[in-house]
Every structure is written in C-alpha cells, then in structure tokens.
Amino acid sequence: MGASGSKARGLWPFASAAGGGVPETAGAEQALVRPRGRGVPPFVFTRRGSMFYDEDGDLAHEFYEETIVTKNGQKRAKLRRVYKNLIPQGIVKLDPPRIHVDFPVILYEV
C-alpha cells in the first residue's frame, strides 16, 4: 500500500487538501475519528532532561567553579564554567502528560 492510501484512511486532516481520496464533506468529521490500525496516542509521557549531574551528584543546568586570579598583586575570585565530567540527567517522566507538538488538532477555550 502506498503512503497516500494510508493517510486517506487514517486520522489525517490535510488529506482532502492534498488531493487524497477523501471527499470534502468528510474532512470536517475526520478530526473526530480515531485512526484504524496502529493507534498512536496524542500524548507525550517522557522527555529528555535538560540538566546534568556533576561528580558530587548535584543536579543543575550549569555548573561553575570559583577560581582565584591574581592581578596587579590583588587576589580576585572569578567563576569559571565547568564542562567536563558532567552526566546528562536522562529521561524525565512528565506529570501530567503533554499533548504532542505534531498532533493536528487546534485547541481553544470558549
């Protein structure tokens, strides 16, 4: 079966605009119909974490270390960003689940 045939039968709101086999009157009802076959939920339950663990096990977006700089005989403390020895957070569970960005439904509040 071709790709255009599967879009015409499933949940695909743009099938009639692309010249698919769906009549124009079915386009209005199509957004409310569940797809046959592989049902892909519109929700996202996990995401990739944006934070990192350092050697001590602390969790943060960025890590800095304090360094002492001597300039003209004066000691100054500066912060230097740490890039090495950081472990990504991994997969984070979303509570509550979010709607997937590619889900073709317009949400609005009345």
Side-chain angles (χ1 to χ4, degrees):
M1 234 184 244
S4 62
S6 64
K7 287 181 184 177
R9 283 185 287 122
L11 177 64
W12 189 252
F14 308 114
S16 61
V22 180
E24 291 293 327
T25 57
E29 299 175 13
Q30 188 176 8
L32 302 176
V33 177
R34 291 191 173 263
R36 290 179 230 136
R38 287 186 356 196
V40 179
F43 300 109
V44 177
F45 297 99
T46 59
R47 68 170 174 85
R48 198 171 91 195
S50 60
M51 295 196 280
F52 297 92
Y53 290 103
D54 68 348
E55 298 110 0
D56 300 330
D58 295 328
L59 182 67
H61 287 283
E62 299 174 332
F63 288 95
Y64 293 90
E65 66 181 6
E66 187 177 10
T67 58
I68 304 297
V69 178
T70 304
K71 187 174 183 181
N72 295 333
Q74 293 181 343
K75 291 184 178 180
R76 292 189 58 195
K78 287 201 162 205
L79 294 177
R80 186 177 66 90
R81 188 166 175 186
V82 176
Y83 294 99
K84 296 181 180 178
N85 299 327
L86 297 179
I87 302 166
Q89 184 181 13
I91 303 298
V92 177
K93 183 180 176 188
L94 296 173
D95 189 41
R98 311 306 200 267
I99 294 178
H100 196 276
V101 68
D102 291 333
F103 189 66
V105 171
I106 299 172
L107 300 175
Y108 66 95
E109 185 176 332
V110 179

